[in-house]
Amino acid sequence: MVTKTDVYFYVPNLIGYLRIALCMTTFYFAYTHPIIAAVSYAVSYILDAADGMAARALNQSSDYGAVLDMVTDRCATAIMICIVGTLFPDYRIFFFAAMFNDITSHWFQMYSTLVSGERHHKKAKSKYALLRFYYGNRIFLFLMVLGSEAFLVSAYVLHWEKTLLPLQILRDINRVIFYVTLGFFALKQFINLVQLLSASEKVIEFDLKEKNGVTEGTAGNSGKKGN
């Protein structure tokens, strides 16, 4: 029989706790020790793929682990976007808008999944082909997340390039990575907007069904009272 303690200490969940520790290390050293910060954040997102593989391989998938994974992803990405935004103040409005978009779209997606009675936000139905492809194709999903997070790391390194990259060739390589992954980051934000739209429509549809049902019931009761 599986106990509560067992779930807390599932291997993929232990990986999740390690990711949180690495993210906290990143944020603590972000403005003082960029090498530690960049490596910690990069390793954290490499482990993001490892926890899913561990869950499937060890048959240790759980709703707790899914929530832990998503909350860790959203918090880590949001704070990293804030850090990069402060390092590039001329563009901070774009970074903060991206942070808002990322959080709200995933929150709406999770809530719409619940009210629709669907099991998982990645398996939720949508009339938008792009969103279905995004969640339905693991390779595409992996590449989009990898590219988006690589952009944040590359942008962070770009600010500290004189400290982190002593050779010009390394700086040139990082700039190439920056511009290539910028496309992934931009597309990820567009997908988030589509996700927000899709989820919003589901929530409104739920509202309409609930309110129309209440309205009909109220009308019927009012008629009885009038009699």
Side-chain angles (χ1 to χ4, degrees):
M1 180 178 178
V2 178
T3 66
K4 185 186 298 184
T5 302
D6 292 332
V7 176
Y8 276 127
F9 289 96
Y10 275 174
V11 171
N13 297 339
L14 292 176
I15 294 174
Y17 306 145
L18 176 58
R19 288 189 61 214
I20 293 173
L22 287 168
C23 288
M24 295 304 295
T25 301
T26 297
F27 308 144
Y28 184 80
F29 290 109
Y31 298 104
T32 56
H33 295 79
I35 294 178
I36 296 176
V39 171
S40 296
Y41 192 80
V43 172
S44 173
Y45 264 89
I46 291 173
L47 291 176
D48 185 32
D51 60 1
M53 291 187 289
R56 290 186 290 273
L58 301 173
N59 193 27
Q60 292 184 344
S61 298
S62 64
D63 289 334
Y64 170 75
V67 174
L68 176 66
D69 181 62
M70 182 177 178
V71 171
T72 302
D73 287 346
R74 301 285 63 78
C75 290
T77 299
I79 297 177
M80 191 61 176
I81 289 175
C82 282
I83 291 172
V84 174
T86 60
L87 296 178
F88 296 91
D90 291 343
Y91 302 97
R92 62 178 177 268
I93 185 62
F94 298 106
F95 285 106
F96 294 163
M99 177 190 68
F100 183 82
N101 182 33
D102 186 70
I103 292 174
T104 55
S105 68
H106 282 84
W107 173 256
F108 265 80
Q109 179 74 350
M110 284 290 289
Y111 188 80
S112 70
T113 301
L114 291 174
V115 299
S116 300
E118 294 170 313
R119 182 63 179 168
H120 196 288
H121 75 281
K122 291 183 179 179
K123 298 179 180 179
K125 297 178 181 178
S126 175
K127 68 179 183 181
Y128 297 97
L130 177 60
L131 195 60
R132 293 197 304 271
F133 181 72
Y134 175 70
Y135 281 124
N137 189 305
R138 286 185 178 178
I139 295 177
F140 182 69
L141 175 62
F142 173 77
L143 290 176
M144 287 304 306
V145 173
L146 177 64
S148 184
E149 296 302 327
F151 167 75
L152 293 175
V153 174
S154 180
Y156 178 80
V157 171
L158 183 63
H159 176 80
W160 297 98
E161 64 178 5
K162 291 183 179 179
T163 301
L164 298 175
L165 306 174
L167 300 179
Q168 185 60 45
I169 188 172
L170 295 178
R171 298 178 189 177
D172 292 339
I173 291 173
N174 183 61
R175 287 174 182 270
V176 170
I177 294 174
F178 173 84
Y179 287 113
V180 170
T181 55
L182 173 58
F184 283 86
F185 185 78
L187 180 55
K188 180 71 162 56
Q189 296 310 309
F190 179 73
I191 293 173
N192 282 342
L193 284 174
V194 175
Q195 176 172 254
L196 179 58
L197 177 60
S198 176
S200 297
E201 290 176 350
K202 281 188 178 181
V203 174
I204 292 174
E205 287 172 3
F206 177 79
D207 279 337
L208 293 177
K209 290 178 181 178
E210 189 176 58
K211 290 182 180 297
N212 287 336
V214 170
T215 301
E216 291 172 3
T218 303
N221 291 335
S222 297
K224 291 180 182 178
K225 288 180 180 178
N227 293 332

